[in-house]
Amino acid sequence: MIEQKLADLGITLPNAPAPAANYVPYVQSGNLVFIAGQVCFGADGKLADRHKGKLGGEVSDEAGKEAARLCAINLLAQLNAATGGDLDRVTRCVRLGGFVNARPDYAAIPQIVNGASDLMVEVFGDIGRHARSAVGCAELPFDCAVEVEGIFEIK
Amino acid sequence: MIEQKLADLGITLPNAPAPAANYVPYVQSGNLVFIAGQVCFGADGKLADRHKGKLGGEVSDEAGKEAARLCAINLLAQLNAATGGDLDRVTRCVRLGGFVNARPDYAAIPQIVNGASDLMVEVFGDIGRHARSAVGCAELPFDCAVEVEGIFEIK
Amino acid sequence: MIEQKLADLGITLPNAPAPAANYVPYVQSGNLVFIAGQVCFGADGKLADRHKGKLGGEVSDEAGKEAARLCAINLLAQLNAATGGDLDRVTRCVRLGGFVNARPDYAAIPQIVNGASDLMVEVFGDIGRHARSAVGCAELPFDCAVEVEGIFEIK
């Protein structure tokens, strides 16, 4: 059902991106899956120029929101791996943590992170609605515009 | 009992503030309640000028600590909603994440976030003592001085 | 066994550092232990000059990685207290949150936080592998170069 929803949205999940360092992309404890912060690499495994840099600087609001959506797609790719390829086992998107690479005067942070939040609701409906924190960071790995981490409940 | 404690402290919980975007203010999973990052809007639903901007800049230390306390009051308002209006169901404040809108040279971050931590202990006593992270951010939503998220255990 | 591993690595756990403010160093809920953000104070309880300041500024990459390792040692000291001195009760390092005190143009954040991640794997082996987020902050408490928080599963 979720697989069909992704197809309807025209989303092909990338191979779950490998971590940038000595850690794993997700850990399950009880029925919670903690997913590592995902950055805004595209389905080709590359960081597009338009998703590199700071909001309020070289990255436009539109590109920032796209970047957040890419982070969410990468979260789904990890979640797909965590559920053995069965996203219908997801019972709730519990929490997203959104980190925006922002200039010190760029305050439209919620609007950017919406790119990730909106996707969760598009894909999962009501169980995609989550608690969320969104903050502006001095810098992010690889100078990515956005990073998003997540906690999901699965059955 | 907690209701009485709040009254003793002269705190009237505001209506639980609505999220700034496409998410929900809290999600319960098992007996943990994850509450979205709350910013320092007052009981009138507005951001006071003195709670807007950066610590080490236009926001004084005193105003910053007040801002953190407001975030904590907003967390309690959400927690009150999450517990169906019965804060006596709270068994522990598990974790607070404090984000301070800080200039790159402002290091008194723990003292600011104490505004939130102190309130939890004033309201809940020992079960209000929590694990905590406190960091300085480049920017926060609406240029708020402080944002605090929380995880609570309830019965 | 973990005690022996620490000895093999030449690591003596410091006394679990006291929190910088009105909170506690860890809270257990169910079989999860949430540990407060630990900064890079050394075993002598002091912040070395080389671990103070910003990556991309006065703190070298090498010193930054060392600082992350110190944060991880402090996490282990807290975890040791949380487990009543028996680190063999740890069943998983679930998640680390790494905060790097970074200049706005310093993007090698994952490499710095590896100082903490690598230690977890050295000490715990496969169960030390964790989900992780790593971000650059405008400032950290005491102008520390690195802060790391953690969630562990214990039995």
Side-chain angles (χ1 to χ4, degrees):
Chain A
M1 217 161 105
I2 296 297
E3 202 170 26
Q4 184 58 48
K5 190 73 192 168
L6 287 168
D8 292 349
L9 291 167
I11 295 172
T12 306
L13 294 184
N15 290 325
N22 191 11
Y23 59 91
V24 291
Y26 56 84
V27 170
Q28 183 172 352
S29 175
N31 59 352
L32 293 180
V33 177
F34 295 78
I35 305 186
Q38 301 293 305
V39 288
C40 49
F41 283 33
D44 58 359
K46 291 181 184 161
L47 176 61
D49 283 346
R50 62 193 269 105
H51 302 142
K52 185 175 192 301
K54 295 199 191 309
L55 272 293
E58 60 272 62
V59 177
S60 72
D61 285 19
E62 192 194 348
K65 212 171 161 177
E66 278 174 18
R69 186 179 172 93
L70 286 177
C71 295
I73 290 174
N74 291 332
L75 283 172
L76 292 181
Q78 302 294 2
L79 188 59
N80 193 49
T83 56
D86 181 5
L87 286 171
D88 291 310
R89 288 175 57 201
V90 175
T91 52
R92 190 71 193 252
C93 179
V94 174
R95 176 189 178 267
L96 295 186
F99 304 101
V100 175
N101 191 354
R103 278 175 48 135
D105 55 356
Y106 184 84
I109 294 163
Q111 292 87 323
I112 298 305
V113 182
N114 282 358
S117 292
D118 290 352
L119 183 71
M120 291 299 165
V121 178
E122 286 171 34
V123 171
F124 292 111
D126 276 350
I127 64 166
R129 295 187 194 280
H130 48 273
R132 185 180 102 175
S133 292
V135 301
C137 289
E139 186 48 286
L140 290 174
F142 316 108
D143 199 24
C144 283
V146 186
E147 175 177 338
V148 183
E149 63 174 352
I151 303 175
F152 293 82
E153 185 188 85
I154 67 173
K155 65 184 172 191
Chain B
M1 217 159 107
I2 295 295
E3 204 170 24
Q4 186 55 49
K5 189 75 193 168
L6 286 168
D8 293 348
L9 291 167
I11 295 172
T12 307
L13 293 184
N15 292 325
N22 191 11
Y23 58 92
V24 291
Y26 57 85
V27 170
Q28 183 173 351
S29 176
N31 58 352
L32 294 180
V33 177
F34 294 78
I35 305 186
Q38 301 293 306
V39 288
C40 49
F41 284 33
D44 59 359
K46 290 179 186 164
L47 176 61
D49 283 345
R50 60 192 270 104
H51 302 142
K52 185 175 192 300
K54 295 200 190 309
L55 273 293
E58 61 272 62
V59 177
S60 72
D61 285 16
E62 191 193 348
K65 211 171 161 177
E66 279 173 19
R69 186 179 173 93
L70 286 178
C71 295
I73 290 174
N74 291 333
L75 282 172
L76 292 180
Q78 301 295 2
L79 188 58
N80 193 47
T83 57
D86 181 5
L87 286 172
D88 291 310
R89 289 175 57 203
V90 175
T91 52
R92 190 71 193 252
C93 179
V94 174
R95 177 189 177 270
L96 294 186
F99 304 102
V100 174
N101 191 353
R103 279 175 47 135
D105 55 357
Y106 184 84
I109 294 163
Q111 291 87 324
I112 298 306
V113 181
N114 282 357
S117 292
D118 290 350
L119 183 71
M120 290 301 163
V121 178
E122 287 172 32
V123 170
F124 292 112
D126 275 350
I127 63 166
R129 296 187 194 280
H130 48 273
R132 184 180 101 175
S133 293
V135 300
C137 288
E139 186 50 286
L140 291 174
F142 316 108
D143 199 22
C144 283
V146 187
E147 174 176 338
V148 184
E149 63 174 353
I151 304 175
F152 293 83
E153 185 189 86
I154 68 173
K155 63 185 174 189
Chain C
M1 219 160 105
I2 295 296
E3 204 169 25
Q4 184 56 49
K5 190 76 194 166
L6 286 169
D8 292 349
L9 291 167
I11 295 173
T12 307
L13 292 184
N15 291 325
N22 191 9
Y23 59 92
V24 291
Y26 57 85
V27 170
Q28 183 174 351
S29 176
N31 57 352
L32 293 180
V33 178
F34 295 78
I35 305 186
Q38 301 293 306
V39 288
C40 49
F41 283 33
D44 58 359
K46 290 181 185 160
L47 177 60
D49 283 346
R50 61 193 271 105
H51 302 142
K52 185 175 192 299
K54 296 200 190 309
L55 273 293
E58 61 273 60
V59 178
S60 71
D61 285 18
E62 192 194 346
K65 211 170 161 179
E66 278 173 19
R69 186 179 172 93
L70 285 177
C71 295
I73 290 175
N74 291 332
L75 283 171
L76 291 181
Q78 301 296 1
L79 188 58
N80 193 48
T83 56
D86 181 5
L87 287 171
D88 291 310
R89 288 175 57 202
V90 175
T91 52
R92 191 71 194 250
C93 178
V94 174
R95 177 189 177 269
L96 295 185
F99 304 102
V100 175
N101 191 354
R103 279 175 48 136
D105 55 357
Y106 184 83
I109 294 163
Q111 291 87 325
I112 298 305
V113 182
N114 282 357
S117 293
D118 290 350
L119 183 71
M120 291 300 164
V121 178
E122 286 171 34
V123 170
F124 291 112
D126 275 351
I127 64 167
R129 296 186 193 279
H130 47 273
R132 185 180 102 175
S133 293
V135 301
C137 288
E139 186 50 287
L140 290 174
F142 316 108
D143 199 23
C144 283
V146 186
E147 174 176 339
V148 184
E149 62 174 353
I151 304 175
F152 293 83
E153 185 188 87
I154 67 173
K155 64 184 173 190

